[in-house]
């Protein structure tokens, strides 16, 4: 665990972390908090800020489309490496829970049984009608509503199967008996007679053999797609305009990646350095307006733009250059034209 933390601290160019495990925020995002949520007793509330969460939703949509994964995973990130990456370092963090035993096997079975029962009742009712030649008196609207309310109450009172019970149904339906070990008597030296058994190690999260290659291929395809997600700075529309004896220099800093240059929470932690834009002038030139070095941290993704302008005297256009440097989102250099 310490090695993971030290690796992140030593590599300031990391802007995205992807963790495979029991946590998940790509199928279901989890708890979020407002961007300007106030701390309690000087401790900031935990959870992804809404602006950062909106980006997670976009990545999650792509994840589900590519992988077809519907595994929600756990949402309890307290004390985890993932929570530290985001809340202490301001790094966008993705959690992928690759597979778990489906919990809908019983629901499908119950729906089938219910449909079959409804069909049998309908056939029986029609037979009775043909045989007797009479129909039941119509119920009033109030009586119908009362009957429906009673059915709903009775349905609510029925005991709900636990998640483990649903997992056992899936195991039985798919003949995955090795996932559950039968209970066996055991004489414990301190506790006395006990029984040991239950779910086998990793039985709840290891996919069936026939699904593993498909899951791995889809996850790798998603991993490669993240290359277009990270922030990348570029300089565009670099130009000079003569203003009498002066030169007006303009440029636009652009981020075509999905991620912002600095996350909403990264601006609070101040652990991600902003982009540094610098104008380079020849000897004897004077900068009359604008700053020689400009720090930019507020640059959203998906084409976010930051316009820059300088006023220069004593220089020719060909002798002026502009550069941008970041520790995590690349850099660029342009000559003025």
């Amino acid at each position: 665990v310490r090695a993971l933390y030290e690796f992140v601290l030593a590599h300031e160019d990391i802007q995205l972390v992807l963790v495979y495990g029991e946590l998940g925020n790509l199928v279901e995002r989890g708890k979020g908090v407002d961007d300007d949520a106030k701390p309690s007793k000087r401790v900031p509330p935990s959870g992804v800020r809404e602006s950062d969460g909106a980006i997670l939703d976009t990545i999650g949509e792509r994840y589900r489309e590519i992988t077809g994964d519907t595994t929600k995973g756990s949402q309890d990130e307290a004390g985890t490496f993932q929570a530290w990456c985001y809340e202490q370092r301001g790094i966008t963090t993705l959690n992928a829970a690759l597979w778990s035993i489906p919990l809908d096997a019983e629901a499908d079975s119950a729906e089938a049984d219910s449909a079959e029962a409804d069909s049998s009742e309908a056939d029986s009712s029609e037979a009775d009608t043909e045989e007797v030649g009479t129909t039941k008196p119509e119920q009033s609207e109030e009586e119908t509503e009362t009957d429906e309310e009673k059915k709903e109450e009775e349905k609510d009172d029925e005991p709900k199967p636990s998640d483990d019970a649903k997992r056992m149904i899936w195991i039985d339906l798919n003949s995955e008996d090795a996932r559950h070990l039968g209970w066996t008597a055991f004489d414990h030296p301190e506790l006395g007679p006990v029984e040991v058994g239950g779910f086998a190690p990793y039985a709840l999260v290891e996919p069936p053999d026939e699904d593993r290659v498909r899951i791995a291929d889809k996850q790798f395809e998603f991993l490669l797609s993240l290359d277009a997600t990270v922030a990348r700075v570029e300089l565009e529309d670099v130009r000079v305009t003569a203003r009498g004896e002066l030169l007006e220099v303009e440029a636009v800093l652009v981020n075509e990646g999905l991620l912002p240059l600095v996350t909403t929470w990264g601006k609070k932690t101040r652990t991600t350095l902003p982009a540094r834009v610098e104008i380079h002038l020849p000897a004897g030139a004077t900068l009359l307006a604008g700053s020689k070095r400009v720090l930019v941290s507020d640059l959203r993704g998906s084409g976010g733009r930051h316009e820059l302008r300088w006023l220069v005297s004593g220089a020719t256009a060909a002798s002026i250059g502009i550069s941008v440097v970041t520790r995590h989102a690349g850099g660029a250099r342009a000559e003025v034209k």
Side-chain angles (χ1 to χ4, degrees):
V1 173
R2 178 172 176 173
L4 276 174
Y5 286 65
E6 290 180 344
F7 183 89
V8 173
L9 292 173
H11 293 79
E12 296 183 355
D13 56 338
I14 295 175
Q15 60 170 296
L16 182 66
V17 171
L18 171 60
V19 181
Y20 299 102
E22 68 175 52
L23 296 178
N25 64 1
L26 291 171
V27 173
E28 187 177 62
R29 191 214 300 181
K31 184 180 72 171
V33 296
D34 294 337
D35 290 350
D36 56 355
K38 304 300 181 184
S40 175
K41 296 182 179 178
R42 302 182 67 181
V43 177
S46 61
V48 178
R49 272 47 190 175
E50 281 301 326
S51 297
D52 297 332
I55 297 172
L56 284 181
D57 291 340
T58 301
I59 299 176
E61 184 177 351
R62 184 195 305 168
Y63 172 83
R64 296 188 295 274
E65 181 180 340
I66 293 176
T67 66
D69 186 19
T70 58
T71 306
K72 294 182 178 179
S74 171
Q75 295 294 331
D76 186 11
E77 292 189 348
T80 63
F81 170 70
Q82 292 94 313
W84 178 82
C85 283
Y86 177 71
E87 296 187 1
Q88 302 297 323
R89 304 301 299 170
I91 301 173
T92 300
T93 307
L94 311 178
N95 304 319
L98 304 185
W99 187 87
S100 65
I101 291 181
L103 301 178
D104 56 357
E106 184 183 32
D108 294 342
S109 176
E111 289 172 4
D113 293 342
S114 175
E116 186 177 349
D118 291 343
S119 176
S120 299
E121 289 177 5
D123 293 341
S124 175
S125 175
E126 290 177 5
D128 291 344
T129 302
E130 291 176 1
E131 199 172 296
V132 178
T134 60
T135 58
K136 296 181 180 179
E138 293 185 2
Q139 288 181 311
S140 67
E141 189 173 333
E142 292 182 358
E143 290 175 334
T144 303
E145 290 179 356
T146 303
D147 290 343
E148 291 177 353
E149 290 175 358
K150 288 181 179 179
K151 290 179 181 178
E152 288 295 329
E153 290 177 358
E154 291 174 357
K155 187 176 180 180
D156 292 338
D157 291 339
E158 292 178 1
K160 300 294 189 295
S162 67
D163 287 349
D164 281 348
K166 295 177 182 178
R167 294 183 178 104
M168 287 301 302
I169 291 174
W170 182 89
I171 289 174
D172 292 340
L173 291 176
N174 291 273
S175 301
E176 293 271 353
D177 300 338
R179 292 179 183 269
H180 192 275
L181 308 178
W183 294 99
T184 306
F186 178 72
D187 189 13
H188 193 278
E190 295 179 1
L191 303 178
V194 296
E195 288 188 349
V196 294
F199 291 110
Y202 306 105
L204 305 184
V205 296
E206 283 216 2
D209 291 343
E210 60 270 19
D211 292 342
R212 294 184 183 184
V213 173
R214 176 187 58 80
I215 291 173
D217 289 345
K218 292 297 183 181
Q219 290 292 334
F220 186 62
E221 183 181 347
F222 170 72
L223 178 63
L224 294 182
S225 75
L226 294 177
D227 179 61
T229 299
V230 295
R232 286 286 184 269
V233 295
E234 297 178 6
L235 285 170
E236 294 184 357
D237 300 333
V238 180
R239 59 186 182 274
V240 63
T241 305
R243 304 294 185 189
E245 296 181 355
L246 306 180
L247 296 179
E248 181 184 45
V249 182
E250 296 174 282
V252 179
L253 184 64
V254 181
N255 174 19
E256 294 294 349
L258 175 65
L259 297 183
L261 185 64
V262 183
T263 64
T264 299
W265 191 237
K267 296 173 187 175
K268 298 286 187 181
T269 62
R270 298 182 180 180
T271 51
T272 304
L273 293 180
R276 187 181 77 236
V277 184
E278 186 171 354
I279 185 170
H280 304 278
L281 303 176
T286 304
L287 185 63
L288 301 177
S291 300
K292 182 175 175 58
R293 294 183 182 85
V294 180
L295 299 181
V296 180
S297 59
D298 192 8
L299 186 65
R300 62 176 179 82
S302 302
R305 298 166 63 87
H306 183 92
E307 297 182 355
L308 301 149
R309 178 179 172 274
W310 299 270
L311 201 59
V312 179
S313 69
T316 61
S319 64
I320 300 174
I322 302 172
S323 65
V324 55
V325 177
T326 73
R327 288 194 177 179
H328 65 292
R333 185 178 178 90
E335 300 298 327
V336 174
K337 298 181 180 178

